[in-house]
Amino acid sequence: MRKNIFLPLSFVFLSFSTHSEVIDFNNYVSPTDNDYVNNFTTGVFTQNTFTQSTTSGITGGSLIPPTSGDWNDAATFNQNFGNSEYKVHTASIAFKFDESAINPYRYNETVSLLFIPSQDWNHYHGAVIDGSNGELGLRFQGLLSGSGYTPINLVSGHWYKLEGRIENIGGAFDQIDSYGFLYDLGVSGLENNLIASAASTFSDAELSNSETISSQLFSEKWGGVSALDNYTVSSITYN
């Protein structure tokens, strides 16, 4: 089910408005009418796609990733968000970790959340968890550079939430502040404990000056993911 939230808020010295979308993958009518196909689009070269399930989620349905894939198989959220200076864009996804599913003989993408400017679809920034060669790590990924690799220890059977955030500072140097956060949600998927983070600052004229921003989701079973749930994307404007 898709939930829309628009909350204009004002304070004495600061005003801001928040627009959020939440996809909980609980709405399933048929393979061609469900939360996934109604809210996401894949590329024309997609060979390995996500499928929605009526079970295996935190409170109901879930999204099942392909066994393996590449960037052509990323799912793009159908709604773009307006972009300008003083905009903060955030995306998050919950995933259930299954260590036995990791393929130790290849590079595996566990979960990726990317932000892409409308002017250039080959341009991106985002928070990424990879299971390369059986080693898990959180990193911030940009077109030109990343923030390094932060090793993490995940427990099979636990739900986790990856959150990526970019803050468009803009200015003369087109500053973008970027963050990745990883939360342990426990076996129930209802806890919320921060266990890792990554941050980086970029000068990126393409992203800072783009009129709109889109968000993408990518995941693989071979990265150690049995199911995904509760995709959230939001945009905050500060004045």
Side-chain angles (χ1 to χ4, degrees):
M1 179 180 296
R2 182 171 180 168
K3 304 174 184 177
N4 303 309
I5 305 171
F6 185 73
L7 299 172
L9 302 172
S10 298
F11 297 91
V12 175
F13 298 107
L14 174 67
S15 66
F16 62 91
S17 60
T18 302
H19 183 194
S20 299
E21 301 279 353
V22 180
I23 311 299
D24 59 17
F25 303 110
N26 287 336
N27 179 55
Y28 186 97
V29 178
S30 71
T32 58
D33 183 5
N34 57 67
D35 278 342
Y36 173 66
V37 299
N38 292 339
N39 291 287
F40 294 86
T41 302
T42 52
V44 294
F45 300 109
T46 298
Q47 297 182 1
N48 307 286
T49 187
F50 295 90
T51 56
Q52 186 172 325
S53 170
T54 57
T55 62
S56 303
I58 295 174
T59 59
S62 65
L63 188 65
I64 306 301
T67 299
S68 63
D70 58 34
W71 289 115
N72 290 317
D73 304 316
T76 302
F77 186 57
N78 288 344
Q79 180 175 334
N80 293 339
F81 286 88
N83 183 54
S84 62
E85 288 187 357
Y86 309 113
K87 284 274 192 178
V88 178
H89 305 283
T90 303
S92 66
I93 187 72
F95 65 95
K96 191 172 186 179
F97 182 63
D98 179 5
E99 185 176 10
S100 67
I102 293 179
N103 185 339
Y105 304 109
R106 68 184 295 275
Y107 173 84
N108 307 290
E109 202 79 42
T110 304
V111 182
S112 300
L113 293 168
L114 300 181
F115 300 98
I116 302 173
S118 56
Q119 287 95 327
D120 185 358
W121 282 85
N122 290 315
H123 209 92
Y124 58 86
H125 291 283
V128 178
I129 297 176
D130 65 56
S132 182
N133 299 316
E135 296 181 0
L136 288 162
L138 172 67
R139 59 187 169 87
F140 182 84
Q141 180 65 50
L143 178 67
L144 301 177
S145 62
S147 67
Y149 186 88
T150 303
I152 54 178
N153 295 312
L154 304 185
V155 179
S156 282
H158 277 221
W159 283 93
Y160 294 88
K161 180 177 72 175
L162 175 65
E163 177 183 307
R165 184 172 79 226
I166 57 173
E167 299 180 0
N168 189 353
I169 307 301
F173 303 108
D174 300 308
Q175 180 179 334
I176 299 290
D177 292 347
S178 308
Y179 304 89
F181 304 97
L182 181 64
Y183 298 85
D184 187 345
L185 308 184
V187 175
S188 67
L190 302 177
E191 300 177 30
N192 197 41
N193 303 306
L194 179 65
I195 60 172
S197 62
S200 191
T201 296
F202 297 87
S203 175
D204 190 329
E206 195 82 36
L207 192 63
S208 180
N209 296 294
S210 178
E211 293 184 358
T212 60
I213 296 290
S214 64
S215 56
Q216 283 191 341
L217 166 67
F218 181 67
S219 181
E220 298 176 289
K221 288 182 181 177
W222 277 356
V225 176
S226 61
L228 303 119
D229 205 354
N230 295 337
Y231 178 83
T232 302
V233 62
S234 67
S235 180
I236 302 175
T237 303
Y238 290 90
N239 300 309

